[in-house]
Amino acid sequence: MATQEEHSEEHLDVLTNLGQHTGIAKLRSEVHRDGDYHRAVHIWIYVESSGELLLQKRADNKDSWPGLWDISSAGHISAGDTSLSSARRELEEELGVSLPLEAFELLFVYLQECVTNNGIFINNEFNDVYLITTLERIPIDGFLLQESEVSMVKYIGLDEYEGVLKKNDPEYVPYEVDGAYSKLFTVLRGRYASDLPQRCLSIQKKLQRYASVDLKPELSTIRSGDLQALLRIIQACQILEKIFLKQVWPTNAKLKDWLEKHQDDTKLAKLLYSYFLINKSPWSCLDENEAFMTAADSAICEAHAALKGPFRSVKYRAAFPSLKPAGANFYPADMDRGEFELWIKDLNESDQAAAKSFLTVIRRHDHVQIGVENSCHDQNNSSGLLIIPYSKEYSSDLAIAAELLNSASQLADTPSLKELLETKAKAFLSNDYYKSEVCWIELDSAIDLTIGPYETYEDCLFGYKATFEAFVGIRDDVATSQVELFSHHLQDLEDNLPMDAKYKSKGVKASPIRVMQLIFNAGDVKGPQTLAFNLPNDERVVEKHGNAMVMMKNVSEAKFQCILRPISHVCLSQLQQKDVDFDAYFTHIICHECCHGIGPHAITLPSGKQTTVRLELQELNSAIEEAKADIVGLWALRFLIDQNLMPKELERTMYVSFLAGCFRSIRFGLHEAHGKGQALQFNWILEKGGFVLLPDGTFEVEFLKVREAVESLCTVILTIQAQGDKKAARRLLDAYATISPSMEEALNHLQSVAVPVDIYPTFDILKLLKCQDN
């Protein structure tokens, strides 16, 4: 940190006692005089090989704790500055160590409240505590010390350092090692003193929650040219896999490559790699996104110009936080909702739309990739936030994917497939997906392809940003012809929705329904596998061209046999187990996807503002929308039965199969949109008497009450969406998207008898195509 002689005294942002910005900035001396809350960074360097921490001795002229041993590096976050930038700068200024952002692991935030210097220095400080894990010691003479701040450095063992703090050694700056700051020691000990056999067993149990299913392709119906194109298509899908890994977290792709390279080193390494492939990150989808790895398992990276002296190189572990970041890698890691909302408020209307777009990332000016151009930069914001289109952020990968799709289009025989490939290749490079989505809706080909940025589940901060994904399948023409009933009655369903007529839409577009047998997927297909999808999510396309639904029948069959049938034997009454039926289960999936296309989407608020449900409900939208599609789908099936358009015997099997399906979805966890939406529905219907808990702990449907329970929830959810009422959405989720004691008991029973939670599909299509290509 620069001294006052070198620069004018810095200003600090004044915070509330909860850490929120007040919009006031004051001189550093005034902040400490007045006891204002403010923010700082702590940076610890931990040496993995020796189990030591690096300490610095504070210069004798410091106004707090002069001449005492302290954190490796620390400093205030200046007004308008950011946490990561401050941490990186402090480390370089004080110790002469320059490391990339990926070396900085945010461990926790520590509030320090103390008074020193005979009461004239009041320190009320929120400290972002970062850890840098190096493989070996940086030589003492490799540091370039800032003399005005640091007089010397030394290494100290973890136990020894904790000991001197516990006995309040006067040579060391005090920290509450029996309080909040104990987490530093707890985390490090947990990483390096873990029981290896126990860790292996833990990962094995996690893997056993997925039933591996080999989805074999049947390619006999594909025309010759389309078959030749298929290899390039799948290779393009693999490129989107790389992009998705980057969208999850900055070091995610490096971590995957490292695990793959070292998977044969140990049994644990093999297990970690296998589980990473399912989750596509170090966070477990079925465990509320808890990390199943630590930085001790992470990739080893090398900064070749980290030091300014004769010693240049530093090897470190690529960092990732133990808690999955809400904003994934769509926003700066140290940006919160408040900063984003303050920044976007001052943008013009066009730039506000770009900031909230499906197809942009938000970066800081000083963290942006070299060569990436920004489309918007607010010069008045000292944080320097930028809006960058996907076509720029992922330009090198998208260029390769576009080339592969163009090559595939030249080989393809089917005109609509050829056009889809060409327009999608152009979209990758232009960031304009409108025409390609229209082509996707109109696709009529034996090869069914969905490829691009679609779902926003990964963005838990706002629900704005879309992830790349790809599904490749073979059209099932027989099954497709059987489900056309739903698309022909969408307007009837819209007209009869159980909500106020003023919210209903006219001219609902009939959604084409395509049933396929999945042969490959990539990108955002992690953890629990989707059974179907209704796209596009772009409201402009939906308004003019409608949408289309794709069902993956072989995935549904695998889940029904491996999961739903065993669940029914555990959780449902013996009397109703026989009513769990694949046709009812699959029919509701179809109806669920159709019902994404009805109900409120583009809405008008009481103020007259034209907006969308997605923009108003923000991060709550995914869970509410999934619950809407589910429960309205159940209502819609009953409506079609009443119209004599579906067999009356379906009514019994659809409700019972839906009840069994609740347990399947809730097992995904309440952090996930489908699981949260399903918990909401289950608890609502149970409260209204539509589901009944029996004395033996099993459940069954109460047919006299379930219809009314379903319809009442439809009304509540549809009205929330129509009014764009985020507060009501939050109240509903807080009240009902929970795990009740009876549900928890049932879920524990399922775990004890080892019923899989989901499937993990494997594919041999690429090997088969390469053999044919040769």
Side-chain angles (χ1 to χ4, degrees), residues 331-340 343 362 364 385 461-462:
Y331 310 92
D334 54 0
M335 188 206 80
D336 58 21
R337 291 179 61 92
E339 181 186 354
F340 181 88
W343 167 68
I362 309 301
R364 295 202 189 281
L385 293 178
L461 198 60
F462 293 105

Side-chain angles (χ1 to χ4, degrees), residues 560 563-581 656-657 659-661 663-664 698-699 750 755:
F560 183 82
I563 303 163
L564 204 70
R565 183 71 78 188
I567 282 176
S568 70
H569 295 155
V570 174
C571 297
L572 270 58
S573 70
Q574 191 169 359
L575 179 66
Q576 292 189 356
Q577 287 175 17
K578 66 181 184 301
D579 294 317
V580 177
D581 173 72
V656 177
S657 298
L659 173 57
F663 296 96
R664 183 186 73 84
T698 62
F699 294 83
L750 288 172
V755 175

Side-chain angles (χ1 to χ4, degrees), residues 130-304:
Y130 289 95
L131 181 70
I132 293 168
T133 303
T134 65
L135 266 64
E136 304 290 343
R137 278 184 169 193
I138 298 172
I140 294 296
D141 52 357
F143 294 103
L144 185 63
L145 306 183
Q146 185 180 17
E147 294 181 0
S148 60
E149 298 285 321
V150 184
S151 61
M152 58 189 301
V153 294
K154 71 173 182 179
Y155 289 100
I156 186 171
L158 195 64
D159 291 342
E160 182 184 354
Y161 183 54
E162 184 180 36
V164 298
L165 292 180
K166 281 186 174 180
K167 66 182 184 182
N168 295 315
D169 190 312
E171 294 187 10
Y172 293 80
V173 175
Y175 291 100
E176 300 172 359
V177 289
D178 292 323
Y181 222 88
S182 64
K183 190 168 184 179
L184 172 68
F185 301 94
T186 303
V187 167
L188 289 173
R189 288 202 179 95
R191 287 180 183 180
Y192 296 99
S194 57
D195 184 326
L196 187 59
Q198 186 60 40
R199 280 200 72 195
C200 289
L201 181 61
S202 173
I203 302 298
Q204 283 176 326
K205 287 181 177 179
K206 293 180 186 297
L207 282 164
Q208 288 167 1
R209 294 179 294 183
Y210 291 89
S212 181
V213 178
D214 186 15
L215 298 182
K216 295 186 178 295
E218 172 51 61
L219 306 177
S220 60
T221 61
I222 303 179
R223 298 162 72 176
S224 173
D226 291 349
L227 189 59
Q228 292 180 58
L230 188 56
L231 175 60
R232 276 78 173 171
I233 290 171
I234 292 178
Q235 288 171 335
C237 296
Q238 290 179 309
I239 300 299
L240 296 201
E241 174 84 6
K242 292 172 60 179
I243 297 176
F244 173 68
L245 291 176
K246 295 173 184 177
Q247 290 183 304
V248 174
W249 186 248
T251 62
N252 204 35
K254 282 187 178 181
L255 180 53
K256 188 258 183 184
D257 292 343
W258 173 266
L259 291 172
E260 182 175 16
K261 182 179 178 181
H262 294 274
Q263 61 176 304
D264 295 325
D265 289 359
T266 64
K267 180 181 179 181
L268 178 61
K270 175 73 77 176
L271 292 169
L272 289 176
Y273 179 59
S274 297
Y275 200 52
F276 185 95
L277 291 179
I278 291 174
N279 294 279
K280 303 199 177 185
S281 81
W283 300 288
S284 176
C285 297
L286 295 180
D287 298 298
E288 306 295 332
N289 281 325
E290 178 185 272
F292 61 90
M293 302 172 59
T294 71
D297 308 308
S298 191
I300 295 175
C301 305
E302 185 170 5
H304 293 283

Side-chain angles (χ1 to χ4, degrees), residues 570-614:
V570 174
C571 297
L572 270 58
S573 70
Q574 191 169 359
L575 179 66
Q576 292 189 356
Q577 287 175 17
K578 66 181 184 301
D579 294 317
V580 177
D581 173 72
F582 175 72
D583 287 339
Y585 169 68
F586 190 61
T587 302
H588 179 253
I589 295 169
I590 297 169
C591 213
H592 167 108
E593 296 302 330
C594 282
C595 289
H596 276 303
I598 61 175
H601 288 93
I603 59 175
T604 303
L605 300 183
S607 65
K609 176 185 174 184
Q610 302 289 318
T611 183
T612 66
V613 177
R614 177 180 69 88

Side-chain angles (χ1 to χ4, degrees), residues 454-467:
Y454 286 108
E455 304 295 355
T456 62
Y457 303 132
E458 200 70 21
D459 178 4
C460 296
L461 198 60
F462 293 105
Y464 291 154
K465 307 305 178 184
T467 48

Side-chain angles (χ1 to χ4, degrees), residues 285-286 288 528-531 559 563-564 567 585 588-589 592 626-627 630 657-682 739 743 747 750 756-758:
C285 297
L286 295 180
E288 306 295 332
Q529 297 293 299
T530 187
L531 297 168
K559 291 201 182 199
I563 303 163
L564 204 70
I567 282 176
Y585 169 68
H588 179 253
I589 295 169
H592 167 108
E626 288 304 327
D630 244 0
S657 298
F658 176 81
L659 173 57
C662 287
F663 296 96
R664 183 186 73 84
S665 296
I666 293 172
R667 294 175 84 198
F668 299 158
L670 298 190
H671 69 283
E672 195 269 344
H674 298 81
K676 188 178 291 185
Q678 197 76 71
L680 158 61
Q681 296 166 81
F682 174 86
I739 302 292
M743 170 61 77
L747 295 178
L750 288 172
V757 176
D758 211 76

Side-chain angles (χ1 to χ4, degrees), residues 684-696:
W684 179 283
I685 297 173
L686 185 68
E687 180 182 273
K688 305 300 181 188
F691 296 153
V692 178
L693 173 64
L694 302 179
D696 64 357

Side-chain angles (χ1 to χ4, degrees), residues 514-563:
R514 312 195 293 252
V515 181
M516 73 172 184
Q517 306 290 340
L518 183 70
I519 63 171
F520 191 78
N521 65 13
D524 191 2
V525 292
K526 63 187 177 70
Q529 297 293 299
T530 187
L531 297 168
F533 45 85
N534 191 299
L535 295 172
N537 290 325
D538 187 331
E539 291 93 351
R540 301 171 306 156
V541 181
V542 174
E543 186 177 354
K544 288 192 175 182
H545 302 277
N547 43 26
M549 177 172 39
V550 175
M551 316 286 302
M552 292 171 282
K553 191 171 184 180
N554 55 346
V555 176
S556 297
E557 289 170 335
K559 291 201 182 199
F560 183 82
Q561 295 300 333
C562 295
I563 303 163

